[in-house]
Amino acid sequence: ATDSILRTHPMLEAGRYVTREHPRIFTDKTFDFYLILGLLIMLGVMRFANPRYFQNLFKAFRSPGYGAQQMKEKMGGWMLYNLLMNFFFALSAGVYVYYVFKFYMPQRYAIYSPSLLISVLIISFVGLYGAKYAVLRFSGWAFNVRVIIGHYMYNVFLINKVIAIAVLPFTILLAFAQPELGQPAIIVSLFLVALLFTNRYIRSWQVLGSFFQYSKFHFFTYLCASEILPMAVLAKLLIRGMYY
């Protein structure tokens, strides 16, 4: 009876197996799970503790020209949440860059500890924007343009907060989705970040236009020196450090 069943089984042919189970490699995602969970909990706690802050945050982003001064003063009143969101930007951006690096250079990723790489990236973003804040504050005091610099920094860190929230879904995709979804997720996320940076530059021109009214070239060189060059240096140091 057993031989008869084996001979008539649809997955057997002439008593031999014609199909087989493909090997499935186990990948431990425990670290990724708790890392993403920590980001989501941090954002959720801030959102639950002060929902009005996030309402005004997105309102200020959607309508830069309507009541900009009033919105700036209202957002400036929440110093603690501004500081926490700036730190959350460093966390979110660092983790996002980590997963992009992991996707494109998995062989180098395996050499280094994930916690070390993420810590280096987060500290890099904190140092980059901390130095930018200090230089801008000093420039505003030295050239007596504190109001203009204040508006500019408000726009810079406002867009950073929006970027921190916008890249979070793509970070989750890169962490847990199939590799086939990695490339489209990176392309869409980089396009979204580029749009947000373009929005930031447009806002910057609206604020700094009077300061650079005699030469748009000076504004362009300022953007290259303060925005593009630090990110390019950070990327170069990261890539050279990983390869050499």
Side-chain angles (χ1 to χ4, degrees):
T2 304
D3 292 341
S4 177
I5 293 174
L6 292 176
R7 281 194 297 268
T8 59
H9 197 280
M11 297 184 68
L12 297 174
E13 183 178 296
R16 295 190 298 177
Y17 292 99
V18 295
T19 60
R20 66 179 180 178
E21 184 74 16
H22 294 284
R24 301 181 184 273
I25 301 175
F26 171 73
T27 303
D28 190 0
K29 297 278 187 178
T30 304
F31 176 80
D32 305 271
F33 173 77
Y34 285 111
L35 177 64
I36 300 299
L37 182 63
L39 288 176
L40 294 175
I41 288 176
M42 181 178 179
L43 181 63
V45 168
M46 289 189 293
R47 173 69 176 80
F48 179 77
N50 194 346
R52 290 185 58 194
Y53 174 82
F54 286 87
Q55 293 174 3
N56 289 320
L57 175 68
F58 290 106
K59 184 177 180 182
F61 171 73
R62 290 193 303 267
S63 54
Y66 175 73
Q69 181 61 32
Q70 292 81 357
M71 190 60 66
K72 177 178 177 295
E73 293 175 356
K74 185 180 295 185
M75 293 295 296
W78 287 302
M79 295 297 297
L80 176 61
Y81 288 96
N82 285 327
L83 180 62
L84 289 175
M85 281 301 297
N86 288 332
F87 181 65
F88 181 77
F89 163 75
L91 292 176
S92 181
V95 173
Y96 169 76
V97 173
Y98 161 75
Y99 280 110
V100 172
F101 166 75
K102 179 181 176 181
F103 179 81
Y104 282 111
M105 291 184 284
Q107 69 281 3
R108 295 292 173 179
Y109 151 79
I111 299 176
Y112 299 92
S113 170
S115 57
L116 175 63
L117 285 176
I118 294 174
S119 300
V120 169
L121 289 168
I122 293 172
I123 293 172
S124 300
F125 277 103
V126 170
L128 177 65
Y129 279 94
K132 183 183 181 68
Y133 178 84
V135 169
L136 287 174
R137 280 295 186 187
F138 175 77
S139 301
W141 171 80
F143 297 103
N144 197 23
V145 287
R146 294 184 183 89
V147 177
I148 295 177
I149 294 299
H151 282 288
Y152 172 70
M153 287 193 302
Y154 163 75
N155 288 324
V156 168
F157 289 102
L158 173 68
I159 300 300
N160 283 355
K161 296 178 181 71
V162 176
I163 290 175
I165 299 173
V167 300
L168 197 53
F170 299 99
T171 304
I172 297 173
L173 277 177
L174 291 174
F176 300 110
Q178 296 297 324
E180 296 79 12
L181 297 176
Q183 188 73 27
I186 292 174
I187 293 175
V188 174
S189 61
L190 290 178
F191 179 73
L192 179 61
V193 171
L195 286 180
L196 291 172
F197 268 95
T198 302
N199 181 275
R200 192 169 93 177
Y201 297 149
I202 294 173
R203 290 169 180 256
S204 301
W205 173 252
Q206 292 174 353
V207 173
L208 301 176
S210 59
F211 193 69
F212 295 103
Q213 58 182 335
Y214 298 108
S215 176
K216 293 182 176 59
F217 176 74
H218 290 158
F219 180 72
F220 174 74
T221 55
Y222 165 76
L223 289 181
C224 292
S226 65
E227 302 285 352
I228 301 175
L229 183 61
M231 298 300 296
V233 171
L234 177 62
K236 183 177 181 180
L237 290 176
L238 179 64
I239 293 174
R240 289 192 62 181
M242 295 302 103
Y243 274 101
Y244 303 106

